[in-house]
Every structure is written in structure tokens, then in C-alpha cells.
Amino acid sequence: MSDVSSPSSPSLSGPRSILRLVQVFARLGTHSEGQTLAQLCQSLALPKTTLFTMLKVLEHADYLTNTDGVYRLGPQAVALGKIMAESPQRSFPHCAKDALQALSESTGETGFLAILTPDDRYCTYVAAVETDNWLRFSVKVGSQKPSYATGSGQAMLAYIPDARLQKLLADLEFAALTPKTVACTADLTLRLQQVRKRHVSTVDSGTVAGVTSVAAPIFSADGAVMAAVTVGGPTSRVNKSLEAVEDAVRASAIDISRILGYRGQWPA
């Protein structure tokens, strides 16, 4: 395989050429059957000679393949796409820092991110931004809580594959952390159904009496639930603007999911 920048290869330069390269990749990425030179010229509104030179460069470097005049993404383009898709996930939760900060500021409450442990029994808090309010809910990064009892946990459990959920429920022991903690499988199942319907989990006094958490699921590029973004604060204060808080948390979850490469709708 020759390097795209080698002296013997055709060359492209300039900002317009970079944009055209992206347009070619995007077009072929959404047309797995491939595209001919004529089809690409028509869809991208590019001169035939300019586009032909570009395609030859990409083909020479294995970013495209050419079979009987039909161009498709090549192995180098596929490898590049995989790297780009995985990059945001590798930087999580750092890549969500600004979104989390904005959520905390807009709601006036502590915002935090959580992920499930491998056995789905606990959620681990991986990032937090505390509000300036003197009366606030504090989260220690690295701490864990039972997933069934928290807004974060329920937001994620609602979207894990059913086989995983059934395995968890088969021998899950419920502990009454507060008088309002979810107490049985039937109750938890109903709550998870509500989360899938509303795309948000609101839990009053799940693990700490007098604290309400509002959480929404975060999805990775492949559509799998990856984490949850949550706001937590005194129930008396959160409930005064609960609808607005829920809307803000849902919007933040969508923003972070987009950062991670997710482009779909909320899974049903």
C-alpha cells in the first residue's frame, strides 16, 4: 500500500479539497452499493476532472476501492471511521465535562455521571459538578450505589438488553435504604417501563431521604446505553421546577450521546 502523500501519488491540497474528501466519504458511507463517477459528480456537484483526480488519490491509498467503475469505501476508510467512532468513548467522561457543567448551572443542582458495574448491580459515579447552593446533594466520584435504587441506575437498567436485565432480577435482593426505596421486582419493572416511555428516571428518596434525582440514559455510537447523566438535589427544591429539570436532563443526555457519536432516536 502506498502512502497518500508519497511523491509518486496524485496530490490534493487546500481547504476546499478537504471538504470534498469529507463529502465523498459521507456519500459512499451512506450508499453501501457504491457509486459511479457520474453519480458522485451529480450528487456532489463537482467537476468530473476534479472528482476523478480525487478518487484516484483515495483509491491509490486504499481509502476507496474501484470495481468496474463503482467506488466503495476501502479498508483504510473503514479503519479511520472506527477510530473516530471510538475516540469520544475513550475520553469519557472528560468529553462530557462542559455539558455536565452547563446542566448543573441551568438547574442550580449538582450534576453527575454514572456507569453500571459489569454485573449491573451497582452504578459508579465517574464525574460530578456541584452547585454553589449551600444546601446541596454531594456525590463522591468513585462511590457506588445499588442500581435498582437510584435514578442513574434505573435510567441505565431500562435500556440494557432484556437477557441482562432478567439475569439481574433473578436473584436481586432489595434493601430498604429509605422508606421510599423500590422494594420488589414488580415495582422495579414498572419503573423501568416508565423510564422507557418518558426517557427520564425521577426518584424521590431512593438512597437518601429528602433527595430527588432526575436521570436520563446516555448512548454510545452503536446505540448501547453507556452511562447516565443525573441531577440531584433537595426534594423540596427540585419538585418546584421538576418538569423543567427533567427537560434539561433529557436534553443533556442527548447532547452527550451526540458527542459520543450516537445519531439515532431514543430507543423505544
Side-chain angles (χ1 to χ4, degrees):
M1 180 185 71
S2 300
D3 187 88
V4 70
S5 61
S6 65
S8 61
S9 303
S11 62
L12 294 171
S13 62
R16 291 182 63 187
S17 294
I18 295 174
L19 177 59
R20 289 168 177 170
L21 287 172
V22 174
Q23 291 173 330
V24 169
F25 284 145
R27 183 68 181 179
L28 294 179
T30 56
H31 290 76
S32 59
E33 75 280 6
Q35 296 274 279
T36 64
L37 175 61
Q39 289 173 321
L40 288 170
C41 284
Q42 182 178 10
S43 61
L44 301 179
L46 293 176
K48 185 175 182 179
T49 53
T50 299
L51 185 57
F52 179 74
T53 300
M54 181 186 304
L55 296 178
K56 293 301 292 183
V57 171
L58 296 174
E59 181 186 350
H60 185 81
D62 288 341
Y63 282 93
L64 298 183
T65 63
N66 179 0
T67 304
D68 298 328
V70 177
Y71 292 92
R72 297 180 178 86
L73 293 179
Q76 289 293 88
V78 174
L80 178 61
K82 184 177 180 181
I83 292 172
M84 294 176 67
E86 292 178 349
S87 180
Q89 296 181 47
R90 290 173 179 167
S91 65
F92 184 83
H94 179 74
C95 64
K97 180 180 179 181
D98 290 345
L100 188 62
Q101 181 72 45
L103 176 63
S104 178
E105 291 176 356
S106 68
T107 60
E109 303 295 350
T110 296
F112 46 98
L113 300 170
I115 60 174
L116 287 171
T117 54
D119 61 3
D120 298 320
R121 292 180 179 274
Y122 297 89
C123 55
T124 303
Y125 301 112
V126 295
V129 175
E130 291 197 359
T131 177
D132 292 332
N133 284 319
W134 68 270
L135 180 61
R136 60 181 180 267
F137 179 58
S138 295
V139 173
K140 182 179 180 181
V141 173
S143 63
Q144 296 181 334
K145 296 287 185 180
S147 57
Y148 68 85
T150 66
S152 301
Q154 291 178 20
M156 292 183 282
L157 292 179
Y159 291 94
I160 64 174
D162 187 63
R164 276 175 56 186
L165 179 60
Q166 295 308 317
K167 181 179 179 181
L168 171 67
L169 296 178
D171 60 354
L172 184 61
E173 296 182 1
F174 294 85
L177 304 178
T178 78
K180 293 186 177 181
T181 303
V182 61
C184 63
T185 298
D187 189 8
L188 178 59
T189 300
L190 178 59
R191 293 195 185 199
L192 298 185
Q193 291 173 349
Q194 293 172 342
V195 173
R196 292 186 70 93
K197 182 178 180 180
R198 303 182 64 243
H199 310 306
V200 68
S201 172
T202 299
V203 175
D204 175 11
S205 304
T207 59
V208 179
V211 171
T212 290
S213 63
V214 180
I218 295 170
F219 299 97
S220 59
D222 62 2
V225 64
M226 178 178 175
V229 59
T230 310
V231 158
T235 297
S236 58
R237 192 167 65 212
V238 173
N239 283 354
K240 289 180 180 179
S241 54
L242 182 58
E243 184 175 348
V245 171
E246 290 179 337
D247 288 343
V249 171
R250 274 189 291 252
S252 183
I254 292 174
D255 288 344
I256 298 173
S257 296
R258 295 289 183 255
I259 292 172
L260 293 170
Y262 181 63
R263 295 294 180 266
Q265 300 296 318
W266 288 94

